[in-house]
Amino acid sequence: MAVMLKLSLSYLGRSKIQNSFIALLILLSTLLLSTAVMILANTGNQFREMHTRTNGSHQILTFDKGLNDPKAVHTWWASQEGVEVSELLTYQTVSGISFHGMDIPNIYLYMMNTPSTPRVVDKLIFSSGTPEAVPEAGSVWIPTSMANAYGVSAGDTIGFKTGSTTIELNVSGTVVDVPYGAPFTNTARVWMNPSDYSEHVQSLEGNDNYMLGIHFDDYSSNLNYWERYSLEAGSPFLETKMEFESISSFYLIINQIIGFIMIFLGVVMLAIALITIGFTISDAILANYKTIGILKSLGLTSAKTIGTYVMQYSMLSGIAILPGLGLSIWISKFIINISVSSLRVGNRDISVEGTGSAMLVGVFLFAMILLFVVMYAKKARSIRPVQAIRYGMSELDNSRMARRMNSPLTSLFGFARLPVAAVIGVRHVIKTIKSSILMLLLTTTASSVLVLGYVLLSSITGIAQTAAQWGYDNANIAAVVVNKSTFPKEDFNQWIQEDARIKNAGWQGNMTGVISGDSSADTEGQSTSLALSVLEGSYQDLGFETLVGKNPAQENEIAIGVGVAESLDKDPGDFLELYIEGEKRTFLITGIYQAIANMSISGRITMEAMNTIRPNYSDFDAIFINLNNPLEAEIVAREMNHQFKDSASVVTQETLLDSVYTEAADILIYPMSLIGLLFILVTFIIIYSTCRISIRKESRTYGIYKSLGLTSRRIRLSIAMGISLLSAMGALMGILVGVYVLPILLELILADYGIVHLPLILNGVGIVLFACISIIAAALGSWFSSRVIQETSPRMLVIE
């Protein structure tokens, strides 16, 4: 045992830099894998915990169309067993705020008349400010999502746009408001003092609207309640209903994406780490072949030789894994806190689960390292002292290397005709074939990770270019009706008809449809509710796209989201029976589309189809406008917004999307940057380590080169050139993997959220630049590892 310990310490001390890098590699592997496990373990936990804590709504009913009596609906739901309902909340909508001298038009606010009675459903949890029954006069409470998006803190003053006037109110608190507090949303509830509401909002032109939150003891039974409601009320519910899937989806999607990317790349990192350790041991055995042969001739057994490496890497692993676990807990908290920041209360970190799972990852990683050490160290058993002393390797390996260096492949390169520097670089790559394969795989992986991160972030920040592929329209301008009771629709239509800059336009309304459980055996008799889009105009002209088939054009046609198509096993050409406002209609499915909104549990029908149910249907929420010259969109939107600012909000499509998805990019940039940085660092470490080992084995050769007149700098540049050429090949393969393979795996996660084909924006220059980062890391790793050639005299290199 003393001999084994002494040899282990000798190996550790003799290669301090190399062993330090291996320990760092183990640490980074532990860090990435345990962080991935913790993020995956916490995906959705924070939302579910906060939803339970606040007794959150499963459905939100908004009464803004005048088609149902809010008090009657509230009374019916309040009388049901197994259901809890909120107060009948009074509100009016406004659009736009001013903050710190900046106008922010693309935010839609429900100005709530805060009830003084304790809330049973959707309790408000204060993140900052003093909890009160209602806000103080002259102040409001805003959701944490709005505060985070615009940097608003308690004590700040916000101006709320109410057409031609602005209401200046102080923010006295920020609250976690689960139904309207998800990230990446431009809709929020602002809670006002009743006297302020009466003075500033209720006096505005237009009628009060109402809102109702419903919490089910068993959410899966909600459709049974709605069927009973329709029977007892004598008519279906005709107002707007927001489903639980819409409430929860944006809370969960970012953590799902981050968790998936990190768990996948964590496994890749683990595989690279284990293979690297195995190659390092193999190369270490070859480098010390003579020494081991001499020790065996002196009586050191094979078991003790293997035990020496096990002891060495046990010490390295123990030193590296523990800090890796500690860092992973801290980084996991950081990533989780920013990804679900709207659920944070005050400055307190969100409680993170999965510490035990991270510890198990550490134990598993330690066991895997020892297993690989034993597997690769067993090669020491075959060492024969005589061959070791004569060849520095086994006779078979010596013959194999000679054949490789004299093979037709090397002749094909024409070494005799190549410059000396090129010959040295290529020879270094060919002679250490296993290490070269590892470097190739490593640079491929690092490049693919960097390319995926760049493509994903650029695709989100540039979502305006691919809006139609995410399920949105592709029109130049969108006008959202904020106050329906005062909106001058005839004047707006007249403006559109008379403005020569406008090419076409289409009004859109939203309805709820119900698919009977008889439509599919998979639903087991349960009905399915889906969001219906009703368009006056052409879906094609306004840029709505489909994955398969086409958008509806006739009154008996419908296009459905992929979520509906998959759950019902429907294809274009099939028929779909749909209940709209209690009336049954049969539609021909003309197309299938994907949409991140409502998780693709949605459908598109024409206004003609809606007119067969409700003649002269005109309950539109927005209008999409195309221009003859899209470059004029900003000017036209500004003019229309000024004219109709009392009841509508008119913005360009780019403004509408950027204000929402820029936040998603801001959240994703931190974990993607961390992963990219880790892989760059690992690329440098592994290439440094493997090159250092191979240089040490070839020290005699490089000593001869120096004695023949080659400078150290020229030899080092030759080695770096060979590695750069190899990593360039890996970078090219990494581009293919990052652009075509990894997005397919990511689509498996996004499919649950309605996106089965990830819309990517491919910027060739940016992709190449990011892929080249791994080449730079590889070149630097090989350059620094060859410093020993410069620092050692030719005589000493030959002696070694």
Side-chain angles (χ1 to χ4, degrees), residues 253-272:
I253 189 169
I254 283 295
N255 259 358
Q256 286 275 16
I257 293 174
I258 295 173
F260 164 77
I261 292 174
M262 294 197 76
I263 196 69
F264 174 76
L265 297 178
V267 171
V268 173
M269 178 75 83
L270 173 60
I272 290 173

Side-chain angles (χ1 to χ4, degrees), residues 124-136 139-141 154-155 171-175:
L124 299 178
I125 306 296
F126 277 79
S127 179
S128 65
T130 305
E132 306 259 349
V134 295
E136 295 180 355
S139 68
V140 292
W141 300 333
V171 177
S172 61
T174 58
V175 295

Side-chain angles (χ1 to χ4, degrees), residues 418-725:
L418 290 177
V420 174
V423 172
I424 295 173
V426 174
R427 180 183 182 278
H428 177 82
V429 171
I430 294 176
K431 192 167 185 180
T432 55
I433 191 68
K434 291 183 179 179
S435 298
S436 298
I437 292 173
L438 175 63
M439 293 179 196
L440 183 66
L441 293 175
L442 180 62
T443 50
T444 299
T445 304
S447 298
S448 66
V449 170
L450 293 168
V451 167
L452 173 67
Y454 170 74
V455 169
L456 188 59
L457 289 173
S458 59
S459 297
I460 293 176
T461 54
I463 195 171
Q465 302 175 43
T466 56
Q469 297 174 46
W470 292 88
Y472 299 107
D473 66 285
N474 201 28
N476 305 130
I477 296 173
V480 178
V481 179
V482 178
N483 192 331
K484 293 183 180 179
S485 59
T486 63
F487 178 67
K489 185 177 179 182
E490 293 182 1
D491 293 343
F492 198 95
N493 283 332
Q494 184 177 357
W495 177 299
I496 291 173
Q497 292 171 3
E498 295 176 354
D499 195 328
R501 296 171 296 182
I502 295 177
K503 181 180 180 181
N504 53 50
W507 286 96
Q508 183 192 50
N510 295 290
M511 300 292 297
T512 299
V514 177
I515 303 172
S516 171
D518 298 334
S519 299
S520 173
D522 296 337
T523 59
E524 298 180 355
Q526 292 290 325
S527 299
T528 302
S529 178
L530 73 159
L532 278 179
S533 171
V534 181
L535 187 71
E536 181 186 41
S538 169
Y539 281 101
Q540 191 69 27
D541 290 344
L542 295 172
F544 289 90
E545 291 188 5
T546 56
L547 292 174
V548 182
K550 60 181 182 178
N551 282 300
Q554 306 297 326
E555 66 178 46
N556 67 330
E557 296 178 345
I558 187 173
I560 58 175
V562 292
V564 180
E566 290 179 1
S567 64
L568 301 180
D569 193 22
K570 295 290 186 179
D571 295 303
D574 293 341
F575 289 94
L576 179 68
E577 293 183 348
L578 191 65
Y579 289 85
I580 304 175
E581 296 188 352
E583 296 192 25
K584 183 178 180 181
R585 291 290 186 273
T586 300
F587 292 95
L588 173 68
I589 299 173
T590 59
I592 297 172
Y593 62 90
Q594 64 177 11
I596 196 168
N598 299 305
M599 303 169 71
S600 286
I601 309 298
S602 56
R604 298 170 181 168
I605 60 174
T606 62
M607 190 191 69
E608 290 76 16
M610 196 62 210
N611 282 336
T612 65
I613 299 166
R614 195 197 305 172
N616 301 317
Y617 173 82
S618 61
D619 188 19
F620 297 108
D621 302 301
I623 183 172
F624 304 117
I625 302 169
N626 276 322
L627 304 179
N628 292 311
N629 182 6
L631 297 178
E632 296 179 326
E634 191 69 42
I635 298 172
V636 175
R638 186 165 55 248
E639 292 176 3
M640 297 182 75
N641 198 53
H642 178 75
Q643 179 69 24
F644 301 98
K645 60 185 175 183
D646 290 338
S647 55
S649 173
V650 186
V651 294
T652 63
Q653 184 207 44
E654 186 173 0
T655 301
L656 193 68
L657 293 172
D658 284 353
S659 61
V660 176
Y661 287 95
T662 298
E663 184 182 355
D666 290 343
I667 291 175
L668 274 175
I669 196 169
Y670 294 106
M672 293 305 299
S673 298
L674 172 65
I675 295 171
L677 182 62
L678 290 182
F679 270 88
I680 293 171
L681 186 58
V682 166
T683 300
F684 175 85
I685 290 171
I686 294 177
I687 290 179
Y688 177 95
S689 179
T690 53
C691 284
R692 190 176 177 86
I693 291 172
S694 61
I695 288 170
R696 190 174 62 191
K697 289 192 299 183
E698 291 290 305
S699 58
R700 182 177 297 178
T701 303
Y702 296 126
I704 295 171
Y705 290 162
K706 291 186 72 173
S707 66
L708 292 175
L710 287 176
T711 64
S712 299
R713 181 180 180 83
R714 192 173 181 184
I715 296 171
R716 295 177 68 192
L717 284 173
S718 300
I719 296 171
M721 183 187 67
I723 298 300
S724 298
L725 180 64

Side-chain angles (χ1 to χ4, degrees), residues 26-73:
I26 296 171
L27 185 150
L28 295 178
S29 303
T30 306
L31 172 64
L32 189 57
L33 192 61
S34 55
T35 300
V37 168
M38 289 190 67
I39 289 177
L40 203 63
N42 283 274
T43 299
N45 287 351
Q46 285 74 29
F47 170 74
R48 288 189 290 269
E49 179 185 342
M50 189 58 73
H51 191 268
T52 302
R53 181 178 173 185
T54 60
N55 203 35
S57 298
H58 289 111
Q59 291 175 336
I60 298 286
L61 312 182
T62 50
F63 301 85
D64 57 355
K65 301 176 182 178
L67 301 175
N68 289 97
D69 181 3
K71 294 181 180 178
V73 174

